[in-house]
C-alpha cells in the first residue's frame, strides 16, 4: 500500500517547519481549578488522554527547548529576525506557576542568534490576582476565558458547582484599574458560545465592562461521546445564527472583523481568489499560482505551532485529538521521526485526494483532516462543494462585499492569514 501513496510532503517539509517554528505550546498541567461543563477535556468528549492532575516535568521541557534550539540556530531556519512565542496552556496553567517561571528563565538564557521570544498564556483568571505582578514583569500576553455576565458564565463552575464569575471578574477589574497600560496592550478575552448566552450579550458585556472585543467560539463538534450527543446539542449554539439574530449585527460585525463569520468567509475568499495576495517576494516578482500541492486545508505539520501534552506527546495543535500524536518527549530525548510524520500525512492526504480533486473550492479549502469523523478509517469531507454549491458560495461572498465594500481594503491591507 505504501508504494501507491502519493508523496505530497517529505521529511524535509517537516524539518523545515520545525526549524522555522513560530510557537511552542506546553500543556503545563492537565489539572484545573474549574470544572466547566463543556470543557474540551470534559464530559462531552473522548478525544484526549486521561486527565490525572499531572504537572509537566521540567526536565522534559528543557530537553524540548534544547532540541529546538539546534534547529532555530541552524541554517535550516530561514528567518533572519524571528519572534518565537512560548505559550502555556492547560488545564489551568497558573496552577503550575513554578514550571512557568523556570521555563521562562531558561528561555531567556537561550542563545539563539537573531531570535527573540515572547510569552503567552490561556487562563481562566481565577488565580490572576495572585500572579499578575510576575506576568506583567515578563510581558505575558493573556487570553482570559470569560463567557459574559454571571448568567452567561454559569457553565464555568468550580468543583463545588459555584460560578467562577465574581472571582474572575474582580481579578480582571483590579488589573484594569491598577495596570491599565498592560491591560490595554496584553489582555484579550475568549468566550464560548452556548445555550446560556448569545453573541450579542457576550459582546455587549465585555465591551462595556472592559473595552475589549472578545473572540467568541462555538463548542467543538468533534470527538463527542456517543452517549453525550443529545446533551451536547442542547448546549450548543450556532455563532452565525446567534450573530444574525442580534439587533446590533452590523456594529458587532464591524467590531469583530475577522472573528465575525461572514467577514471570515469573505477574507478567505479574497485571499484565495482575488489574485492580489502575495505571500513572499517570489510571488510578487514571478506571479502566483492557485495550484494546491496537497488535499484539504490541513496545516502542514508544525507550520503554526508545536503542542506538547502533559504526558510528553507531541501534536501539531492543541485543538486536535491526542490519538494523532506525532512524537514524544521522554526523560532523555525528543522522538520525532520526520520521515514517519510525512508518511502519516501523505496517507491522510491520499484518503481525501479523490474527493478534493472533485471539489470546486479546493484552493480555498480550510477543512482540517483532524476535524473529520473517521480520519483513521474512510473519512468523508463535510466541506465538499460541487459546482452548484461553489456558485452559491461565490455569489454569497460577492453579495456580502457589495453590501460592505469597505471590507475589501480592510481585509487586503490589515489581514494576514496564517
Amino acid at each position: 500500500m505504501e508504494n501507491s501513496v502519493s508523496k505530497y510532503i517529505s521529511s524535509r517539509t517537516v524539518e523545515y517547519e520545525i526549524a522555522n517554528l513560530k510557537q511552542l505550546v506546553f500543556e503545563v498541567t492537565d489539572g484545573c481549578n474549574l470544572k466547566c461543563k463543556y470543557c474540551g477535556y470534559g464530559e462531552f468528549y473522548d478525544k484526549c488522554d486521561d486527565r490525572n492532575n499531572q504537572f509537566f516535568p521540567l526536565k522534559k521541557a528543557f530537553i524540548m527547548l534544547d532540541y529546538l534550539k539546534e534547529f532555530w540556530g541552524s541554517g535550516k531556519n530561514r528567518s533572519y529576525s524571528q519572534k518565537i512565542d512560548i505559550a502555556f496552556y492547560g488545564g489551568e496553567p497558573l496552577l503550575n506557576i513554578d514550571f512557568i517561571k523556570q521555563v521562562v528563565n531558561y528561555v531567556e538564557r537561550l542563545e539563539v542568534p537573531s531570535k527573540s521570544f515572547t510569552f503567552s498564556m490561556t487562563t481562566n483568571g481565577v488565580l490572576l490576582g495572585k500572579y499578575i505582578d510576575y506576568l506583567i514583569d515578563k510581558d505575558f500576553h493573556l487570553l482570559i476565558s470569560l463567557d459574559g455576565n454571571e448568567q452567561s458564565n454559569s457553565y464555568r463552575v468550580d468543583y463545588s458547582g459555584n460560578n467562577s464569575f465574581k472571582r474572575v471578574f474582580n481579578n480582571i477589574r483590579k488589573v484594569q484599574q491598577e495596570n491599565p497600560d498592560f491591560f490595554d496592550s496584553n489582555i484579550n478575552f475568549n468566550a464560548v458560545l452556548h445555550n446560556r448566552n448569545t453573541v450579542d450579550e457576550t459582546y455587549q458585556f465585555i465591551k462595556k465592562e472592559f473595552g475589549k472585543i472578545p473572540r467568541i467560539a462555538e463548542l467543538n463538534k468533534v470527538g463527542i461521546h456517543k452517549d453525550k450527543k443529545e446533551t451536547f446539542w442542547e448546549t450548543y449554539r450556532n455563532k452565525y445564527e446567534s450573530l444574525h439574530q442580534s439587533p446590533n449585527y452590523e456594529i458587532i460585525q464591524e467590531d469583530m472583523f475577522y472573528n465575525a463569520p461572514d467577514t471570515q468567509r469573505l477574507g478567505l475568499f479574497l485571499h484565495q481568489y482575488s489574485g492580489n495576495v502575495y505571500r513572499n517576494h517570489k510571488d510578487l516578482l514571478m506571479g502566483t499560482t492557485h495550484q494546491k500541492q496537497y488535499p484539504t486545508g490541513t496545516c502542514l505539520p508544525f507550520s503554526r505551532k508545536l503542542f506538547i501534552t502533559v504526558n510528553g506527546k507531541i501534536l501539531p495543535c492543541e485543538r486536535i485529538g491526542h490519538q494523532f500524536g506525532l512524537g514524544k518527549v521522554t526523560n532523555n530525548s525528543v522522538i520525532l521521526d520526520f520521515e514517519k510524520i510525512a508518511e502519516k500525512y501523505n496517507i491522510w492526504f491520499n484518503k481525501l485526494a479523490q474527493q478534493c480533486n472533485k471539489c470546486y473550492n479546493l484552493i480555498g479549502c480550510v477543512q482540517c483532516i483532524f476535524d473529520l469523523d473517521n480520519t483513521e478509517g474512510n473519512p468523508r469531507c463535510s466541506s465538499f462543494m460541487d459546482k452548484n454549491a461553489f456558485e452559491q458560495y461565490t455569489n454569497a461572498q460577492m453579495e456580502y462585499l457589495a453590501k460592505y465594500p469597505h471590507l475589501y481594503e480592510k481585509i487586503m491591507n490589515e489581514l494576514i492569514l496564517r
Side-chain angles (χ1 to χ4, degrees), residues 302-319:
F302 312 121
S303 61
R304 292 194 178 190
K305 63 184 72 172
L306 185 153
F307 174 61
I308 317 173
T309 74
V310 72
N311 296 316
K313 189 176 290 185
I314 297 173
L315 297 112
C317 178
E318 76 278 8
R319 298 178 183 178

Side-chain angles (χ1 to χ4, degrees), residues 49-259:
D49 295 336
D50 291 340
R51 317 301 281 174
N52 296 310
N53 292 314
Q54 302 173 88
F55 282 179
F56 195 108
L58 191 60
K59 180 180 178 180
K60 290 185 178 181
F62 294 164
I63 289 172
M64 187 77 236
L65 287 163
D66 288 341
Y67 173 86
L68 291 171
K69 176 187 173 184
E70 296 303 312
F71 286 96
W72 289 334
S74 73
K76 295 167 185 175
N77 187 297
R78 303 295 176 84
S79 302
Y80 173 73
S81 181
Q82 179 188 14
K83 288 186 177 180
I84 301 169
D85 185 54
I86 308 298
F88 300 95
Y89 191 78
E92 171 49 45
L94 287 175
L95 289 172
N96 194 5
I97 188 66
D98 289 340
F99 171 89
I100 294 169
K101 289 181 177 180
Q102 294 195 59
V103 168
V104 168
N105 183 56
Y106 196 81
V107 168
E108 289 177 333
R109 291 187 285 110
L110 284 177
E111 295 182 3
V112 186
S114 303
K115 304 295 177 291
S116 61
F117 296 92
T118 60
F119 303 105
S120 64
M121 179 187 301
T122 301
T123 175
N124 60 33
V126 172
L127 297 173
L128 189 63
K130 187 174 182 179
Y131 299 116
I132 190 61
D133 289 342
Y134 173 79
L135 299 173
I136 292 173
D137 181 58
K138 296 303 179 180
D139 198 33
F140 264 76
H141 286 266
L142 304 178
L143 185 62
I144 300 176
S145 301
L146 185 70
D147 292 349
N149 61 28
E150 190 161 6
Q151 170 62 20
S152 296
N153 203 69
S154 57
Y155 279 132
R156 293 188 180 275
V157 297
D158 60 25
Y159 279 78
S160 297
N162 301 310
N163 192 334
S164 63
F165 174 80
K166 290 182 180 178
R167 284 170 286 174
V168 175
F169 181 88
N170 291 336
N171 284 340
I172 297 169
R173 179 68 85 209
K174 187 176 181 181
V175 176
Q176 183 186 29
Q177 293 173 343
E178 296 181 359
N179 303 279
D181 291 340
F182 177 82
F183 183 88
D184 289 344
S185 62
N186 288 51
I187 288 181
N188 284 297
F189 291 89
N190 180 67
V192 174
L193 188 64
H194 46 72
N195 63 341
R196 294 182 182 175
N197 65 358
T198 66
V199 169
D200 186 87
E201 292 167 345
T202 299
Y203 162 87
Q204 298 288 358
F205 178 82
I206 292 179
K207 185 174 183 183
K208 177 184 176 182
E209 296 293 338
F210 303 116
K212 299 279 186 175
I213 308 301
R215 304 177 192 177
I216 302 177
E218 295 177 346
L219 294 174
N220 187 348
K221 294 178 283 188
V222 179
I224 305 166
H225 277 294
K226 291 182 179 180
D227 59 351
K228 294 292 182 179
K229 287 189 175 181
E230 183 177 350
T231 307
F232 172 87
W233 288 112
E234 290 172 355
T235 309
Y236 176 85
R237 189 188 296 275
N238 182 281
K239 180 178 177 180
Y240 177 88
E241 293 176 357
S242 182
L243 177 57
H244 277 264
Q245 289 166 0
S246 169
N248 305 297
Y249 165 75
E250 292 197 352
I251 296 173
I252 299 175
Q253 177 260 147
E254 188 70 26
D255 272 356
M256 291 180 70
F257 186 39
Y258 193 64
N259 286 315

